[in-house]
Each structure stands twice: as C-alpha cells, then as structure tokens.
Amino acid sequence: METKLADFIRDTPAGRDADGILRKCVHCGFCTATCPTYQMFGDELDGPRGRIYLIKQMLEGAAVGAKTQLHLDRCLSCRSCESTCPSGVHYSRLLDIGRSVLEQRVSRGPVDTVTRAALKHLLPRPWLFAPAYRLGQYFRPLLPAALKGKVLAYRSPGRKAAGNHPRRVIALAGCVQPAMAPGINTATSRVLDRLGIRMEEVDRAGCCGALRLHLGDEEAAKDDARRNIDAWWPSIEAGAEAILFTASGCGTQLLDYVHLLQDDPAYALKAARVALLARDVSEVIGAERDTLLRLIAGHPRSAKATPVVFHAPCSLQHGLKIRGSVEALLGDAGFTLTAVADAHLCCGSAGAYSVLQPAIGTQLRDNKLSALTAGEPAAIATANIGCLAHLQSGTSVPVRHWIELLDERLSAAA
Ligand code: SF4
Ligand code: SF4
C-alpha cells in the first residue's frame, strides 16, 4: 500500500513503524473473514482492512472525527486478523499508534471520558483496586445479579511455595490479578517448586501497561514499562532465567516493550532484554515436561475422568502464537479435553473492552460460552485473568486458570 504520512509523524519512530506496516498490506481482505466485529456488523470499517484505511488516512493528515473513533473503539485488539494475514501485517502495533494519535485529536463525551479515566487510574493501582474488589467479594452475596457476575467469588490462594532452588524466575504479579485471583500465582509457585524452580515476585513491579496503552495513553504505558524494568533489573542481572507471566494479555505487552521504548536511550536495550526473557508460564512448564511427566507417572489418574475445555485467549494464540501447548500439558496431567468450535474467536473480554463496549462484549461472551460448554465440560480452563472473569460472569461452570488445575492434579498425585 502506498503511503504519504503527514509531517507530524513521518520521521518519528511510531511513524516509521506505521509506514512499514501500512506498506506490507496488500488490501487482500483475507483478514476480514476471521474478525469478530466484521462478522457481527458486516461493515468493512468494522474489519481490519477498513480500520487500516482509517488509520492510514489519519496518519496522512486527513481530518478525523466520531466515525474513526467509533470503528477503532469497536476493535477488540484480539489480533485474530494477524493470524490470518498472509503478508505479516503487524496490525496491533498500527492500532496502538492510531489510537494514541486519535486520542489527541478527537474528544469524547463526558461519560466515556470519566469511565476511561476511572479505568486508567483505578485498575493499575493495586492499593486502590484490591480493597475495592475485596469489599465487592465480601458483599457479593448481597449484590444484584448483574453486579454479582462481575465479581469473582473469593478463593483461598493457598501457600506460596518457599523452596530455595538455585534456578529462579521472576513472575509478573500484574495489577488486577492479585486481587481477583491470587491463587493463580501461588499455584504457579507450587508447580515450579516441584520442578526445582523458585518463583520470585518483585514488589515494585506492577501493571504491565497494556491497559493504558489500549486506552490510547502511550506515555503512561511507557512509565509502567520503565518502572517494571527498574524493579526487575537487579534480579535479571543476578541471573533470573525468565520473566514469567500467567496472564497472556500482559505477556504480549512485555514483548511490545521493544517497540514502546525503542526511542528511549536509557531503556531501549533493557526493554529488548526483558522481551527476550519474557515467557508464558506454559513455555516455562513445557520446557520441564519430562520432569512433569515423572511427577505425574505412577500416581492415580484421578483427573482422567474430568472433562475440561480450554479457552485459548487471543493474546495467547494470536499475540504470543502459542497454540496447543496448554492443551498438551493438561492432557499430560490426565484431563480429557472437550472440543471447542471457532476457537480462534475472541470471548469479548479484551482488557477493558467488556466495560467500554458491554453489548458487543456480552454477545461475544455468550457465543463463546455456547461453544465452550457444548461438550459438557466440568470446568473451563483458560490462561488470562480477563477472559477468566468475563467468562465466569456468564456461566455456572467453574472457570479456572489451567495452572490451578495442574497444581491440584500434582497435589492429588503427591
Ligand atoms: S484485532 Fe480483532 S477485532 Fe480488531 S480488526 Fe483484528 S480481528 Fe478485528
Ligand atoms: S490480510 Fe493482511 S494484507 Fe490482506 S488486507 Fe488484511 S492486513 Fe492487509
């Protein structure tokens, strides 16, 4: 695609990225076939190719307004289009650039402005979010059904493993996950402990920055990235093997630190090192598969009769391109996996999307739950806290992180 980017962006790192991405697109439209919002609205501008045109026009200096905002807001950032694109168009990076420019150009109504500000300021601050969420859990039985569904029932996280192994990984705690489902990282620590790996969480690290980036606040996302790098750096220099994440949505953001901080001379190289070390928990566990199989072998396969279904988050399958690994690990642990139709489609959670676009988010959730529960699983396993909470809001089937199921299986085997 020919481009003539406007002066305001042409010679910036973001402009160069956008130019390269736009030039790769050959307008073929293959991506529209797998785009959830195109399937829903049937409008070219609610598909990736249409959004690419809208962003291109904006970056070339055309006037933009509510129409561009509407169609970019409706994008889930699910990256299904990237999996389909034969030309390797890095759509999500282009969208981040487009949203950041759009946020400076087009104002929003008061309700949208307040909602976005609340999300940006409340969710990434655990000292604000955690007490509010805990209060919601405490009064959950009294909440009206619509609100009750938004709050996960409290589950005891159990003890964090304290084994002192020479092999160490840093774990990203994240912003909302420790309050919503603290058991995910404690379960991870226990599984790693059995595999001879110590998991460390570094207190000063926090939100990965994805939330603020996807809300169009690139500078705040850069601050999040710099704070995390500073917090992790001593452990990295001391020999941590990996920076592990249990929320795949956060993982895609850690990989994107490379783009985010490329023009920051103090952090560009460090960001590249962090991205190199970043690993989804399934990659870390998968690398220890032989040990895992030995741990499981010879014990009663109590999980074998338990049918579970795996919901692969978009960030895992389209963002990180990790496909089939979690299912294989669950199979190793003796779970029977039920099939899921249209597994490539988003569940509608998509970070803050389900709050900002509730009608679309709910429709996609209900479609996804129909597909997931068709095989009558006893539990739905997933790999991202946002998907977990969003899916749980629409079903009585327990929705768990897959590492919790593996931890329980290993506990039963011990
Ligand atoms: S990221 Fe998802 S919703 Fe957005 S254009 Fe691509 S496929 Fe469609
Ligand atoms: S599939 Fe790729 S090259 Fe084709 S229109 Fe979509 S983004 Fe462009």
Side-chain angles (χ1 to χ4, degrees):
M1 187 184 284
E2 285 295 308
T3 60
K4 280 189 186 157
L5 297 199
D7 291 347
F8 78 94
I9 194 155
R10 187 189 308 117
D11 294 322
T12 66
R16 285 189 285 274
D17 280 358
D19 196 58
I21 296 165
L22 287 167
R23 284 174 185 274
K24 273 191 163 185
C25 177
V26 296
H27 326 246
C28 64
F30 287 167
C31 50
T32 53
T34 58
C35 172
T37 54
Y38 180 77
Q39 287 183 5
M40 190 174 279
F41 294 103
D43 182 338
E44 173 76 12
L45 296 180
D46 282 315
R49 185 171 57 178
R51 290 179 177 126
I52 288 170
Y53 276 121
L54 289 173
I55 295 168
K56 176 177 184 285
Q57 286 168 355
M58 178 170 64
L59 300 185
E60 289 182 338
V64 283
K67 182 173 144 188
T68 303
Q69 190 179 61
L70 172 77
H71 296 294
L72 294 197
D73 280 357
R74 278 187 185 161
C75 176
L76 293 141
S77 307
C78 70
R79 301 173 69 171
S80 176
C81 47
E82 288 185 20
S83 289
T84 317
C85 174
S87 304
V89 171
H90 191 174
Y91 169 84
S92 56
R93 171 70 182 140
L94 184 68
L95 180 70
D96 286 339
I97 295 166
R99 279 181 167 160
S100 184
V101 173
L102 186 71
E103 223 41 38
Q104 294 156 27
R105 296 274 175 91
V106 183
S107 59
R108 295 183 176 275
V111 175
D112 202 13
T113 302
V114 169
T115 307
R116 284 168 174 265
L119 289 168
K120 272 196 295 193
H121 293 293
L122 174 67
L123 299 187
R125 291 185 168 85
W127 57 272
L128 270 177
F129 179 75
Y133 198 79
R134 194 73 193 92
L135 204 64
Q137 285 180 316
Y138 189 76
F139 288 108
R140 190 172 181 272
L142 307 174
L143 295 175
L147 212 52
K148 195 173 175 175
K150 305 267 179 235
V151 181
L152 291 172
Y154 177 77
R155 272 177 187 274
S156 169
R159 287 162 69 98
K160 190 175 164 189
N164 196 9
H165 309 286
R167 294 184 64 191
R168 289 178 304 110
V169 296
I170 306 165
L172 169 70
C175 51
V176 297
Q177 183 172 296
M180 295 171 76
I184 294 174
N185 274 20
T186 54
T188 304
S189 77
R190 292 189 292 267
V191 174
L192 289 172
D193 184 51
R194 290 184 178 98
L195 297 170
I197 301 170
R198 181 156 63 102
M199 188 190 98
E200 297 175 350
E201 284 177 339
V202 181
D203 285 343
R204 282 186 305 116
C207 179
C208 64
L211 182 86
R212 297 201 255 217
L213 184 66
H214 296 155
L215 289 171
D217 193 345
E218 190 170 319
E219 289 311 310
K222 286 180 181 177
D223 289 342
D224 286 330
R226 291 187 194 102
R227 184 208 53 236
N228 286 349
I229 291 171
D230 286 342
W232 292 329
W233 202 249
S235 298
I236 291 172
E237 294 211 298
E241 289 180 19
I243 301 170
L244 171 151
F245 46 86
T246 51
S248 52
C250 304
T252 57
Q253 180 70 5
L254 294 191
L255 298 190
D256 277 348
Y257 281 6
V258 176
H259 301 294
L260 204 57
L261 297 175
Q262 62 184 312
D263 56 340
D264 183 332
Y267 283 89
L269 286 175
K270 289 181 175 179
R273 178 111 179 254
V274 164
L276 270 177
L277 286 171
R279 298 275 186 287
D280 183 70
V281 58
S282 63
E283 296 177 283
V284 176
I285 307 283
E288 309 298 322
R289 196 171 176 194
D290 290 346
T291 313
L292 184 68
L293 286 170
R294 274 201 300 278
L295 284 173
I296 291 168
H299 290 278
R301 298 174 73 81
S302 57
K304 188 156 193 175
T306 310
V308 299
V309 67
F310 181 62
H311 165 61
C314 298
S315 45
L316 189 76
Q317 58 172 323
H318 304 306
L320 300 168
K321 317 280 184 227
I322 294 175
R323 299 180 186 119
S325 313
V326 175
E327 292 91 325
L329 289 169
L330 287 171
D332 288 345
F335 291 95
T336 303
L337 284 146
T338 64
V340 49
D342 292 329
H344 65 283
L345 289 178
C346 181
C347 70
S349 169
Y353 191 93
S354 60
V355 177
L356 295 167
Q357 303 281 345
I360 305 172
T362 302
Q363 181 64 58
L364 289 172
R365 181 199 68 185
D366 293 346
N367 295 348
K368 179 58 73 179
L369 282 171
S370 297
L372 289 169
T373 55
E376 301 186 355
I380 298 169
T382 190
N384 189 53
I385 183 64
C387 308
L388 188 158
H390 186 57
L391 290 171
Q392 191 66 88
S393 71
T395 181
S396 57
V397 179
V399 187
R400 311 287 305 281
H401 193 291
W402 67 269
I403 196 74
E404 296 179 286
L405 300 182
L406 183 60
D407 174 52
E408 287 167 14
R409 174 75 183 98
L410 287 172
S411 299

